[in-house]
PDB file of all heavy atoms in Angstrom:
ATOM      1  N   HIS A   1       0.880  -1.161  -0.003  1.00 94.00           N
ATOM      2  CA  HIS A   1      -0.001  -0.008  -0.001  1.00 94.00           C
ATOM      3  C   HIS A   1       0.909   1.222  -0.038  1.00 94.00           C
ATOM      4  O   HIS A   1       1.405   1.631   1.047  1.00 94.00           O
ATOM      5  CB  HIS A   1      -0.900  -0.044   1.271  1.00 94.00           C
ATOM      6  CG  HIS A   1      -2.003   0.967   1.236  1.00 94.00           C
ATOM      7  ND1 HIS A   1      -2.964   1.000   2.226  1.00 94.00           N
ATOM      8  CD2 HIS A   1      -2.368   1.870   0.347  1.00 94.00           C
ATOM      9  CE1 HIS A   1      -3.834   1.953   1.942  1.00 94.00           C
ATOM     10  NE2 HIS A   1      -3.503   2.474   0.794  1.00 94.00           N
ATOM     11  N   VAL A   2       1.143   1.763  -1.213  1.00 94.00           N
ATOM     12  CA  VAL A   2       2.227   2.796  -1.315  1.00 94.00           C
ATOM     13  C   VAL A   2       1.760   4.253  -1.217  1.00 94.00           C
ATOM     14  O   VAL A   2       2.540   5.098  -0.886  1.00 94.00           O
ATOM     15  CB  VAL A   2       3.012   2.616  -2.596  1.00 94.00           C
ATOM     16  CG1 VAL A   2       3.827   1.301  -2.568  1.00 94.00           C
ATOM     17  CG2 VAL A   2       2.116   2.624  -3.835  1.00 94.00           C
ATOM     18  N   LEU A   3       0.467   4.475  -1.485  1.00 95.00           N
ATOM     19  CA  LEU A   3      -0.074   5.858  -1.211  1.00 95.00           C
ATOM     20  C   LEU A   3      -1.353   5.605  -0.352  1.00 95.00           C
ATOM     21  O   LEU A   3      -2.255   4.832  -0.699  1.00 95.00           O
ATOM     22  CB  LEU A   3      -0.478   6.564  -2.529  1.00 95.00           C
ATOM     23  CG  LEU A   3       0.639   6.969  -3.432  1.00 95.00           C
ATOM     24  CD1 LEU A   3       0.116   7.680  -4.679  1.00 95.00           C
ATOM     25  CD2 LEU A   3       1.655   7.938  -2.713  1.00 95.00           C
ATOM     26  N   LYS A   4      -1.392   6.308   0.740  1.00 95.00           N
ATOM     27  CA  LYS A   4      -2.465   6.122   1.742  1.00 95.00           C
ATOM     28  C   LYS A   4      -3.183   7.425   2.021  1.00 95.00           C
ATOM     29  O   LYS A   4      -2.612   8.337   2.603  1.00 95.00           O
ATOM     30  CB  LYS A   4      -1.852   5.584   3.048  1.00 95.00           C
ATOM     31  CG  LYS A   4      -1.060   4.273   2.882  1.00 95.00           C
ATOM     32  CD  LYS A   4      -0.260   3.919   4.120  1.00 95.00           C
ATOM     33  CE  LYS A   4       0.598   2.672   3.857  1.00 95.00           C
ATOM     34  NZ  LYS A   4       1.460   2.348   5.035  1.00 95.00           N
ATOM     35  N   ASP A   5      -4.440   7.500   1.598  1.00 95.00           N
ATOM     36  CA  ASP A   5      -5.270   8.651   1.907  1.00 95.00           C
ATOM     37  C   ASP A   5      -4.587   9.996   1.561  1.00 95.00           C
ATOM     38  O   ASP A   5      -4.609  10.929   2.336  1.00 95.00           O
ATOM     39  CB  ASP A   5      -5.648   8.699   3.400  1.00 95.00           C
ATOM     40  CG  ASP A   5      -6.246   7.398   3.899  1.00 95.00           C
ATOM     41  OD1 ASP A   5      -7.108   6.913   3.191  1.00 95.00           O
ATOM     42  OD2 ASP A   5      -5.783   6.895   4.923  1.00 95.00           O
ATOM     43  N   VAL A   6      -4.019  10.070   0.380  1.00 95.00           N
ATOM     44  CA  VAL A   6      -3.276  11.275   0.019  1.00 95.00           C
ATOM     45  C   VAL A   6      -4.223  12.317  -0.550  1.00 95.00           C
ATOM     46  O   VAL A   6      -4.918  12.088  -1.535  1.00 95.00           O
ATOM     47  CB  VAL A   6      -2.157  10.976  -0.983  1.00 95.00           C
ATOM     48  CG1 VAL A   6      -1.520  12.278  -1.517  1.00 95.00           C
ATOM     49  CG2 VAL A   6      -1.051  10.140  -0.350  1.00 95.00           C
ATOM     50  N   THR A   7      -4.281  13.461   0.101  1.00 96.00           N
ATOM     51  CA  THR A   7      -5.098  14.635  -0.350  1.00 96.00           C
ATOM     52  C   THR A   7      -4.101  15.792  -0.464  1.00 96.00           C
ATOM     53  O   THR A   7      -3.389  16.139   0.486  1.00 96.00           O
ATOM     54  CB  THR A   7      -6.231  14.948   0.604  1.00 96.00           C
ATOM     55  OG1 THR A   7      -7.142  13.865   0.554  1.00 96.00           O
ATOM     56  CG2 THR A   7      -6.925  16.228   0.180  1.00 96.00           C
ATOM     57  N   LEU A   8      -4.027  16.395  -1.649  1.00 96.00           N
ATOM     58  CA  LEU A   8      -3.035  17.481  -1.915  1.00 96.00           C
ATOM     59  C   LEU A   8      -3.644  18.365  -2.963  1.00 96.00           C
ATOM     60  O   LEU A   8      -4.182  17.915  -3.999  1.00 96.00           O
ATOM     61  CB  LEU A   8      -1.742  16.880  -2.392  1.00 96.00           C
ATOM     62  CG  LEU A   8      -0.639  17.844  -2.775  1.00 96.00           C
ATOM     63  CD1 LEU A   8      -0.144  18.605  -1.550  1.00 96.00           C
ATOM     64  CD2 LEU A   8       0.535  17.134  -3.484  1.00 96.00           C
ATOM     65  N   ARG A   9      -3.535  19.696  -2.712  1.00 95.00           N
ATOM     66  CA  ARG A   9      -3.964  20.668  -3.725  1.00 95.00           C
ATOM     67  C   ARG A   9      -2.815  21.562  -4.050  1.00 95.00           C
ATOM     68  O   ARG A   9      -2.084  22.006  -3.169  1.00 95.00           O
ATOM     69  CB  ARG A   9      -5.150  21.469  -3.200  1.00 95.00           C
ATOM     70  CG  ARG A   9      -6.409  20.600  -3.069  1.00 95.00           C
ATOM     71  CD  ARG A   9      -7.604  21.415  -2.651  1.00 95.00           C
ATOM     72  NE  ARG A   9      -8.847  20.674  -2.902  1.00 95.00           N
ATOM     73  CZ  ARG A   9      -9.298  19.745  -2.062  1.00 95.00           C
ATOM     74  NH1 ARG A   9      -8.630  19.458  -0.970  1.00 95.00           N
ATOM     75  NH2 ARG A   9     -10.413  19.089  -2.380  1.00 95.00           N
ATOM     76  N   VAL A  10      -2.652  21.834  -5.356  1.00 96.00           N
ATOM     77  CA  VAL A  10      -1.599  22.718  -5.839  1.00 96.00           C
ATOM     78  C   VAL A  10      -2.262  23.824  -6.633  1.00 96.00           C
ATOM     79  O   VAL A  10      -2.985  23.573  -7.588  1.00 96.00           O
ATOM     80  CB  VAL A  10      -0.566  21.943  -6.720  1.00 96.00           C
ATOM     81  CG1 VAL A  10       0.558  22.895  -7.160  1.00 96.00           C
ATOM     82  CG2 VAL A  10       0.004  20.753  -5.955  1.00 96.00           C
ATOM     83  N   ALA A  11      -1.977  25.071  -6.219  1.00 95.00           N
ATOM     84  CA  ALA A  11      -2.624  26.194  -6.879  1.00 95.00           C
ATOM     85  C   ALA A  11      -1.855  26.546  -8.179  1.00 95.00           C
ATOM     86  O   ALA A  11      -0.677  26.180  -8.312  1.00 95.00           O
ATOM     87  CB  ALA A  11      -2.580  27.399  -5.931  1.00 95.00           C
ATOM     88  N   PRO A  12      -2.505  27.255  -9.123  1.00 95.00           N
ATOM     89  CA  PRO A  12      -1.770  27.725 -10.288  1.00 95.00           C
ATOM     90  C   PRO A  12      -0.570  28.539  -9.866  1.00 95.00           C
ATOM     91  O   PRO A  12      -0.630  29.335  -8.921  1.00 95.00           O
ATOM     92  CB  PRO A  12      -2.799  28.579 -11.018  1.00 95.00           C
ATOM     93  CG  PRO A  12      -4.119  28.053 -10.581  1.00 95.00           C
ATOM     94  CD  PRO A  12      -3.935  27.662  -9.166  1.00 95.00           C
ATOM     95  N   ARG A  13       0.578  28.361 -10.520  1.00 94.00           N
ATOM     96  CA  ARG A  13       1.835  29.051 -10.327  1.00 94.00           C
ATOM     97  C   ARG A  13       2.540  28.683  -8.994  1.00 94.00           C
ATOM     98  O   ARG A  13       3.566  29.257  -8.632  1.00 94.00           O
ATOM     99  CB  ARG A  13       1.588  30.562 -10.348  1.00 94.00           C
ATOM    100  CG  ARG A  13       0.964  31.115 -11.598  1.00 94.00           C
ATOM    101  CD  ARG A  13       0.647  32.564 -11.559  1.00 94.00           C
ATOM    102  NE  ARG A  13       1.801  33.406 -11.566  1.00 94.00           N
ATOM    103  CZ  ARG A  13       2.487  33.840 -12.647  1.00 94.00           C
ATOM    104  NH1 ARG A  13       2.050  33.487 -13.846  1.00 94.00           N
ATOM    105  NH2 ARG A  13       3.528  34.609 -12.548  1.00 94.00           N
ATOM    106  N   GLU A  14       1.986  27.699  -8.314  1.00 96.00           N
ATOM    107  CA  GLU A  14       2.609  27.290  -7.019  1.00 96.00           C
ATOM    108  C   GLU A  14       3.725  26.256  -7.287  1.00 96.00           C
ATOM    109  O   GLU A  14       3.638  25.450  -8.202  1.00 96.00           O
ATOM    110  CB  GLU A  14       1.569  26.669  -6.123  1.00 96.00           C
ATOM    111  CG  GLU A  14       2.114  26.403  -4.680  1.00 96.00           C
ATOM    112  CD  GLU A  14       1.076  25.849  -3.728  1.00 96.00           C
ATOM    113  OE1 GLU A  14       0.032  25.360  -4.177  1.00 96.00           O
ATOM    114  OE2 GLU A  14       1.353  25.875  -2.525  1.00 96.00           O
ATOM    115  N   VAL A  15       4.775  26.290  -6.490  1.00 96.00           N
ATOM    116  CA  VAL A  15       5.907  25.316  -6.542  1.00 96.00           C
ATOM    117  C   VAL A  15       5.831  24.554  -5.276  1.00 96.00           C
ATOM    118  O   VAL A  15       6.030  25.019  -4.174  1.00 96.00           O
ATOM    119  CB  VAL A  15       7.232  26.020  -6.696  1.00 96.00           C
ATOM    120  CG1 VAL A  15       8.367  24.953  -6.715  1.00 96.00           C
ATOM    121  CG2 VAL A  15       7.288  26.860  -7.958  1.00 96.00           C
ATOM    122  N   VAL A  16       5.502  23.255  -5.439  1.00 97.00           N
ATOM    123  CA  VAL A  16       5.401  22.315  -4.292  1.00 97.00           C
ATOM    124  C   VAL A  16       6.564  21.337  -4.385  1.00 97.00           C
ATOM    125  O   VAL A  16       6.725  20.636  -5.401  1.00 97.00           O
ATOM    126  CB  VAL A  16       4.070  21.584  -4.278  1.00 97.00           C
ATOM    127  CG1 VAL A  16       4.070  20.467  -3.191  1.00 97.00           C
ATOM    128  CG2 VAL A  16       2.927  22.575  -3.970  1.00 97.00           C
ATOM    129  N   VAL A  17       7.376  21.274  -3.358  1.00 96.00           N
ATOM    130  CA  VAL A  17       8.507  20.327  -3.308  1.00 96.00           C
ATOM    131  C   VAL A  17       8.156  19.191  -2.313  1.00 96.00           C
ATOM    132  O   VAL A  17       7.771  19.511  -1.193  1.00 96.00           O
ATOM    133  CB  VAL A  17       9.817  21.040  -2.878  1.00 96.00           C
ATOM    134  CG1 VAL A  17      10.913  20.029  -2.690  1.00 96.00           C
ATOM    135  CG2 VAL A  17      10.198  22.064  -3.934  1.00 96.00           C
ATOM    136  N   VAL A  18       8.266  17.948  -2.835  1.00 96.00           N
ATOM    137  CA  VAL A  18       7.891  16.777  -2.023  1.00 96.00           C
ATOM    138  C   VAL A  18       9.177  16.108  -1.563  1.00 96.00           C
ATOM    139  O   VAL A  18      10.059  15.784  -2.369  1.00 96.00           O
ATOM    140  CB  VAL A  18       7.046  15.824  -2.858  1.00 96.00           C
ATOM    141  CG1 VAL A  18       6.559  14.632  -1.992  1.00 96.00           C
ATOM    142  CG2 VAL A  18       5.843  16.518  -3.460  1.00 96.00           C
ATOM    143  N   VAL A  19       9.310  15.961  -0.239  1.00 95.00           N
ATOM    144  CA  VAL A  19      10.500  15.365   0.345  1.00 95.00           C
ATOM    145  C   VAL A  19      10.086  14.225   1.249  1.00 95.00           C
ATOM    146  O   VAL A  19       8.901  14.133   1.612  1.00 95.00           O
ATOM    147  CB  VAL A  19      11.355  16.407   1.126  1.00 95.00           C
ATOM    148  CG1 VAL A  19      11.767  17.555   0.215  1.00 95.00           C
ATOM    149  CG2 VAL A  19      10.611  16.922   2.371  1.00 95.00           C
ATOM    150  N   GLY A  20      11.099  13.442   1.588  1.00 93.00           N
ATOM    151  CA  GLY A  20      10.836  12.343   2.516  1.00 93.00           C
ATOM    152  C   GLY A  20      11.813  11.180   2.258  1.00 93.00           C
ATOM    153  O   GLY A  20      12.532  11.198   1.228  1.00 93.00           O
ATOM    154  N   PRO A  21      11.841  10.199   3.127  1.00 91.00           N
ATOM    155  CA  PRO A  21      12.784   9.117   2.977  1.00 91.00           C
ATOM    156  C   PRO A  21      12.491   8.259   1.741  1.00 91.00           C
ATOM    157  O   PRO A  21      11.392   8.292   1.209  1.00 91.00           O
ATOM    158  CB  PRO A  21      12.599   8.287   4.265  1.00 91.00           C
ATOM    159  CG  PRO A  21      11.282   8.695   4.811  1.00 91.00           C
ATOM    160  CD  PRO A  21      11.034  10.091   4.360  1.00 91.00           C
ATOM    161  N   SER A  22      13.458   7.465   1.299  1.00 89.00           N
ATOM    162  CA  SER A  22      13.252   6.587   0.180  1.00 89.00           C
ATOM    163  C   SER A  22      12.132   5.620   0.506  1.00 89.00           C
ATOM    164  O   SER A  22      12.000   5.162   1.643  1.00 89.00           O
ATOM    165  CB  SER A  22      14.526   5.801  -0.120  1.00 89.00           C
ATOM    166  OG  SER A  22      15.568   6.656  -0.519  1.00 89.00           O
ATOM    167  N   GLY A  23      11.298   5.349  -0.495  1.00 88.00           N
ATOM    168  CA  GLY A  23      10.197   4.382  -0.259  1.00 88.00           C
ATOM    169  C   GLY A  23       8.970   5.010   0.402  1.00 88.00           C
ATOM    170  O   GLY A  23       8.040   4.275   0.776  1.00 88.00           O
ATOM    171  N   SER A  24       8.951   6.374   0.501  1.00 92.00           N
ATOM    172  CA  SER A  24       7.828   6.950   1.204  1.00 92.00           C
ATOM    173  C   SER A  24       6.654   7.249   0.271  1.00 92.00           C
ATOM    174  O   SER A  24       5.590   7.686   0.695  1.00 92.00           O
ATOM    175  CB  SER A  24       8.275   8.257   1.825  1.00 92.00           C
ATOM    176  OG  SER A  24       8.820   9.180   0.887  1.00 92.00           O
ATOM    177  N   GLY A  25       6.827   6.994  -1.061  1.00 93.00           N
ATOM    178  CA  GLY A  25       5.697   7.184  -2.002  1.00 93.00           C
ATOM    179  C   GLY A  25       5.815   8.428  -2.866  1.00 93.00           C
ATOM    180  O   GLY A  25       4.917   8.725  -3.645  1.00 93.00           O
TER     181      GLY A  25
END
């Protein structure tokens, strides 16, 4: 189960950086 209940919103022109340990999805 590699993605669990993921809710994410990205606005126009927004820069979202996703970080986390290896294997976090």
Side-chain angles (χ1 to χ4, degrees):
H1 193 177
V2 293
L3 292 179
K4 304 170 183 174
D5 308 311
V6 171
T7 293
L8 177 68
R9 290 185 165 82
V10 181
R13 303 174 70 87
E14 188 177 18
V15 178
V16 172
V17 174
V18 185
V19 302
S22 294
S24 58

